[in-house]
Amino acid sequence: MSDEARPPRTAVVIPAAGRGVRLGPGAPKALRALNGTPMLIHAVRAMAASRAVSLVVVVAPPDGAAEVKNLLDAHALPERTDYLVVPGGDTRQESVRLGLDALPEGVDIVLVHDAARPLVPVDTVDAVIEAVRDGAVAVVPAMPVADTVKEVEPAEKPGDPEQVVATPVRARLRAVQTPQGFDRDTLVDAHATIALTGEGATDDAGMVERLGAPVVVVPGHEEAFKVTRPLDLVLAEAVLARRRANDGF
């Protein structure tokens, strides 16, 4: 196959250095077990399920890279998918940048995926990759917002009443998920720009937006929810049980 005909090489960066305090005390969030298997392993397998993904870079807690590597070594992944483990930083933003720094030459498309979204279906992963291949520089999967959303003036003291200042049009709102997909050069430029300004961002697509580059949305999936609270763990276990019953997962 010629270089012109060869599809762009795709890698995934999974920042997994956070502690996950909302889940309570214990192991870091990414290492919490779902159906006896750490969430991180579920997340890596979800990315590796895409035949387009050739490399997964896991960004581990700074003092836990060896433990995470041993964990990945102990769990089967598709042979076509390589993986690296690198120590993370103090923030998610810094951890993603360290993951980007570890990517080899030849990677053109980068996905950034939350380890706390362990159950994203492969069809969602493929849809993000395909949109980048078709020319988008930044792609996010997202779901329509079911609830009415209010913009408020935050209270000075937690728990105090807050004044509503606006009600956004719900039809224009989307709840963003991961993996988010990017042209590699665009994402690297976005991280470099944000690092220079010292500003933060809640997701990588937001950094690209600040460059003035377009970000597009593809349909997300209800099973790509983020596990942040104990109740989410119960829901994730229920999803896995349904998959086992329906598909032998």
Side-chain angles (χ1 to χ4, degrees):
M1 182 182 294
S2 68
D3 289 342
E4 290 77 9
R6 194 181 304 277
R9 190 178 180 204
T10 300
V12 182
V13 174
I14 301 182
R19 298 298 305 179
V21 293
R22 280 178 287 182
L23 279 176
K29 182 196 301 185
L31 302 184
R32 300 292 180 93
L34 287 178
N35 191 33
T37 301
M39 272 201 292
L40 176 60
I41 298 300
H42 287 288
V44 171
R45 286 176 173 170
M47 298 298 100
S50 171
R51 300 191 65 86
V53 172
S54 58
L55 173 67
V56 177
V57 178
V58 177
V59 188
D63 58 352
E67 177 186 1
V68 170
K69 186 178 186 307
N70 290 338
L71 194 67
L72 289 169
D73 287 342
H75 291 80
L77 298 174
E79 290 185 3
R80 66 177 181 273
T81 306
D82 294 327
Y83 66 86
L84 295 173
V85 178
V86 298
D90 293 332
T91 65
R92 182 187 185 280
Q93 185 175 318
E94 185 180 356
S95 291
V96 173
R97 182 184 59 77
L98 290 168
L100 290 174
D101 290 345
L103 294 178
E105 294 294 327
V107 171
D108 304 294
I109 296 173
V110 180
L111 307 187
V112 181
H113 183 58
D114 293 332
R117 297 183 190 272
L119 304 179
V120 56
V122 67
D123 288 350
T124 302
V125 181
D126 287 339
V128 171
I129 295 170
E130 190 62 30
V132 181
R133 285 181 173 177
D134 287 344
V137 298
V139 180
V140 296
M143 296 285 287
V145 176
D147 297 322
T148 296
V149 176
K150 301 290 185 182
E151 182 182 353
V152 302
E153 185 65 38
E156 293 185 4
K157 187 166 61 176
D160 282 356
E162 298 175 319
Q163 179 68 44
V164 172
V165 298
T167 303
V169 178
R170 188 171 63 186
R172 294 175 61 88
L173 300 177
R174 298 292 183 270
V176 173
Q177 301 175 331
T178 69
Q180 299 183 355
F182 305 91
D183 165 75
R184 178 182 181 170
D185 290 341
T186 300
L187 184 58
V188 169
D189 287 347
H191 271 267
T193 300
I194 294 298
L196 286 174
T197 62
E199 299 176 353
T202 57
D203 70 347
D204 296 274
M207 298 184 189
V208 173
E209 290 175 47
R210 295 185 190 181
L211 293 181
V215 177
V216 301
V217 170
V218 297
H221 196 280
E222 62 183 4
E223 292 181 1
F225 62 90
K226 191 172 186 179
V227 177
T228 58
R229 302 162 300 173
L231 184 60
D232 298 326
L233 286 169
V234 176
L235 178 58
E237 291 279 7
V239 171
L240 287 173
R242 186 182 67 184
R243 288 183 179 181
R244 288 196 304 274
N246 293 343
D247 308 320
F249 177 80

